[in-house]
Amino acid sequence: ALEHLADARLVDPLPEPGRFRLHDLVHAYAVEQAAIRLSTEERRRAVARVAELAYAIIGRVRTTLVEQDPYLPVPVRAVEPELAAEIGENPLAWHDRDRHLVDAIVRQGARLGLAAQACDLAVACGLLAVQLGYDDEWRGTLAVALRAARSAGDRVGVGLLTAELGYMHLSRFRLEPARRLLGRAMSHFDAVGDRHRHAAMRWALGYIDLRIGRPDRALRRFLAALPVLLAHGDLATAGMALRDIGYVHLAQGRPATALRYGRRAADAKRTAGDRRALPPVLALQGEAELALGRLDDAERTFTLARDLAAEVSDIRGEAYLSCALGRVEARRGRVARAEVLLRHAIEVARRIR
């Protein structure tokens, strides 16, 4: 049937086999007819059904990337096995292709009073937006959902969306706006009694403290957050807290202690199935080994982390770890080899969006 519609120029085929989109004129006509023929409640129900399917698909994308994903706003229903298999082949590419459709669903839902669904869908895409490099674009989508959540008096939704906006600034190292937003989100989670997300915000604020040269305050935040994260089974964020505790010890001249925390962090990430976040955790382990003068161990760890970063398209990680391998070679006195690795790091870094 779709082929017949394509022959009649009512739908346009997309490059991917079996995928089509409405012709622009047909789309405009459909919008006009929906406004005439359907009541507001019927339009709400239609958008709600599409939003539910979109959320299930995004949930599948995320759990393909992180097996134990603790931050999906609500549970995810199963998708059809064939669709799950298609997503599993390349989850990020699958989402990258359809993200504009998801943006339209969020905006439609917000306009029609579906604040909770708009919030859930916008938040669920936040991690993917950061990983795919379109987070600046997605901040506009989050802002639309945030206005809807505020209008609906949804305090949990406001906290979730504020936190997501903070994480996006943090991913770009815009530390001051990130600190303000994450602090607000922590206050929201405290007010609604969400100890898990409150602890996650405490870790994120500690990370900012670490970046701006306040390691002692950072360490206090990490140590306060860690037992709560572990008690809630959030090994993904606990792994980051363990990593950052290790970095404090490394900066304060305790590389052996840093190495122990690095190994614990890597174990937590592996148990959580969070392969995408393993490279920065392994980077700590390599840095501690380098500080201890264990150059062969550091080379093995940095190489493993760099290869994994390349595999999961972590461009920043790949550039950093190539640079780290260059430093290992420089410590060995192999200047020519170090220069090759450092030039490669520069070339990789140029691919960052």
Side-chain angles (χ1 to χ4, degrees), residues 1-14 19-21 23:
L2 284 170
E3 284 78 5
H4 291 309
L5 292 173
D7 290 340
R9 301 298 175 88
L10 297 175
V11 297
D12 296 325
L14 294 174
R19 294 177 61 83
F20 300 83
R21 69 177 181 87
H23 187 281

Side-chain angles (χ1 to χ4, degrees), residues 324-336:
L325 284 165
R327 288 189 286 114
V328 172
E329 293 301 318
R331 283 278 295 272
R332 287 172 169 156
R334 300 173 184 169
V335 178

Side-chain angles (χ1 to χ4, degrees), residues 76-204:
V76 179
R77 70 174 177 83
V79 297
E80 295 296 326
E82 288 184 6
L83 179 56
E86 180 187 342
I87 292 169
E89 290 174 5
N90 195 336
L92 284 177
W94 198 96
H95 174 65
D96 196 23
R97 183 183 64 198
D98 284 343
R99 71 177 193 265
H100 297 296
L101 173 61
V102 179
D103 170 75
I105 296 168
V106 171
R107 292 172 185 274
Q108 275 272 66
R111 280 197 297 271
L112 290 169
L114 298 168
Q117 286 180 288
C119 167
D120 293 343
L121 198 49
V123 168
C125 290
L127 172 68
L128 307 176
V130 169
Q131 292 184 349
L132 287 165
Y134 67 91
D135 42 303
D136 281 342
E137 170 191 322
W138 198 253
R139 287 208 318 274
T141 310
L142 288 166
V144 169
L146 180 57
R147 287 193 293 272
R150 283 178 176 149
S151 296
D154 180 359
R155 297 177 70 186
V156 173
V158 170
L160 290 171
L161 290 156
T162 303
E164 208 63 43
L165 286 163
Y167 279 134
M168 287 188 172
H169 283 293
L170 188 57
S171 75
R172 297 282 182 173
F173 300 104
R174 294 188 284 251
L175 301 183
E176 183 52 33
R179 185 191 63 77
R180 288 197 306 269
L181 288 162
L182 294 167
R184 285 180 208 157
M186 187 164 77
S187 297
H188 280 292
F189 295 136
D190 187 38
V192 299
D194 189 336
R195 295 185 68 245
H196 174 206
R197 288 190 169 87
H198 183 275
M201 297 303 99
R202 181 169 278 170
W203 160 73

